[in-house]
């Protein structure tokens, strides 16, 4: 019989496969991850953060990073103004301004706290423009996605007890009725 932790791992793995299929996650891509470990275990967001849940989610995401090269950013909770934990090298390469705080479970959330402890050179930044995102437990990651976010549907609707939403982004379509958006031989 599958344990709740095994179920969380399986659901997250499937959701990430579905996201990767819709939006190829590569070393050029930045994935924002918002997680309420409380919601995953069936509690109200921000009330019962779980180190064990954070660990299993982090391990799956770290494996995704190893497999694809995708860069990861973990959103903190509202008590740190939804700042993000990411690798210092990634933050500097992308020109993000660092902020001074260290997430803890009660101010940052269990997931961001766990990520901060496990990453080699973690830093906090106030905002990013991610290429794709996964929101586990309605943590509101939209503010950290590029301007045009497109929902990605998955066979997985929840991870544990938490609702899951995913998005990819695309460049803005500009112009009017005369604009062309795809290259064809006809338009050369």
């Amino acid at each position: 019989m599958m344990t709740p932790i095994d179920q969380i791992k399986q659901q997250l793995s499937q959701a990430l496969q579905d996201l990767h299929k819709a939006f190829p996650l590569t070393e050029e891509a930045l994935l924002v991850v918002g997680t309420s470990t409380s919601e995953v275990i069936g509690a109200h967001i921000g009330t019962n953060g779980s180190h064990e849940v954070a660990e299993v989610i982090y391990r799956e995401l770290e494996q995704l990073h190893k497999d694809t090269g995708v860069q990861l950013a973990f959103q903190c909770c509202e008590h740190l103004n939804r700042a993000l934990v990411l690798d210092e090298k990634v933050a500097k390469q992308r020109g993000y301004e660092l902020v001074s705080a260290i997430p803890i479970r009660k101010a940052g959330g269990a997931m961001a706290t766990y990520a901060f402890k496990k990453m080699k050179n973690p830093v906090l930044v106030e905002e990013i423009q991610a290429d794709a995102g996964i929101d586990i437990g309605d943590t509101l990651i939209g503010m950290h996605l590029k301007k045009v976010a497109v929902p990605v549907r998955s066979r997985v609707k929840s991870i544990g007890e938490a609702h899951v939403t995913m998005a990819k982004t695309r460049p803005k379509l500009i112009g009017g009725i005369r604009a062309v958006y795809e290259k064809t031989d006809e338009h050369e």
Side-chain angles (χ1 to χ4, degrees):
M1 188 162 149
M2 190 177 294
T3 69
I5 291 297
D6 290 337
Q7 181 183 14
I8 291 165
K9 181 179 177 181
Q10 181 184 47
Q11 290 168 331
L12 179 57
S13 176
Q14 182 63 62
L16 292 172
Q17 286 175 32
D18 292 344
L19 179 59
H20 184 57
K21 184 177 179 183
F23 185 89
L25 300 167
T26 66
E27 61 277 349
E28 287 97 33
L30 180 60
L31 175 68
V32 61
V33 179
T35 305
S36 168
T37 59
S38 298
E39 291 277 334
V40 171
I41 60 173
H44 186 341
I45 192 169
T47 61
N48 196 17
S50 169
H51 176 85
E52 186 178 21
V53 170
E55 180 180 14
V56 71
I57 291 172
Y58 185 84
R59 283 186 183 165
E60 278 299 306
L61 289 160
E62 183 61 20
Q63 189 60 53
L64 177 71
H65 167 71
K66 287 176 183 173
D67 292 345
T68 66
V70 68
Q71 301 303 316
L72 302 171
F74 295 88
Q75 180 180 270
C76 294
C77 74
E78 66 181 296
H79 298 100
L80 288 183
N81 299 326
R82 305 213 191 286
L84 301 117
V85 176
L86 65 161
D87 183 83
E88 182 178 22
K89 183 179 176 183
V90 174
K92 288 181 176 178
Q93 283 175 340
R94 291 176 171 264
Y96 296 143
E97 184 177 352
L98 306 185
V99 294
S100 295
I102 296 176
I104 60 173
R105 201 181 98 179
K106 294 287 185 185
M111 186 73 249
T113 299
Y114 189 86
F116 195 88
K117 288 180 182 176
K118 290 297 180 179
M119 293 173 89
K120 290 180 184 162
N121 296 303
V123 295
L124 250 62
V125 299
E126 194 169 16
E127 57 189 4
I128 64 172
Q129 289 187 331
D131 302 291
I134 183 167
D135 188 330
I136 305 166
D138 301 322
T139 66
L140 304 176
I141 63 167
M143 67 179 70
H144 296 302
L145 291 168
K146 288 181 177 176
K147 296 269 186 208
V148 184
V150 179
V152 172
R153 301 291 181 227
S154 174
R155 292 170 271 180
V156 175
K157 303 299 180 206
S158 63
I159 295 175
E161 299 297 317
H163 176 249
V164 65
T165 303
M166 298 186 300
K168 62 182 181 177
T169 62
R170 65 161 175 76
K172 295 177 183 179
L173 301 177
I174 61 170
I177 60 172
R178 296 180 186 177
V180 175
Y181 299 109
E182 294 183 22
K183 292 180 183 177
T184 65
D185 293 337
E186 179 181 315
H187 297 107
E188 291 185 16

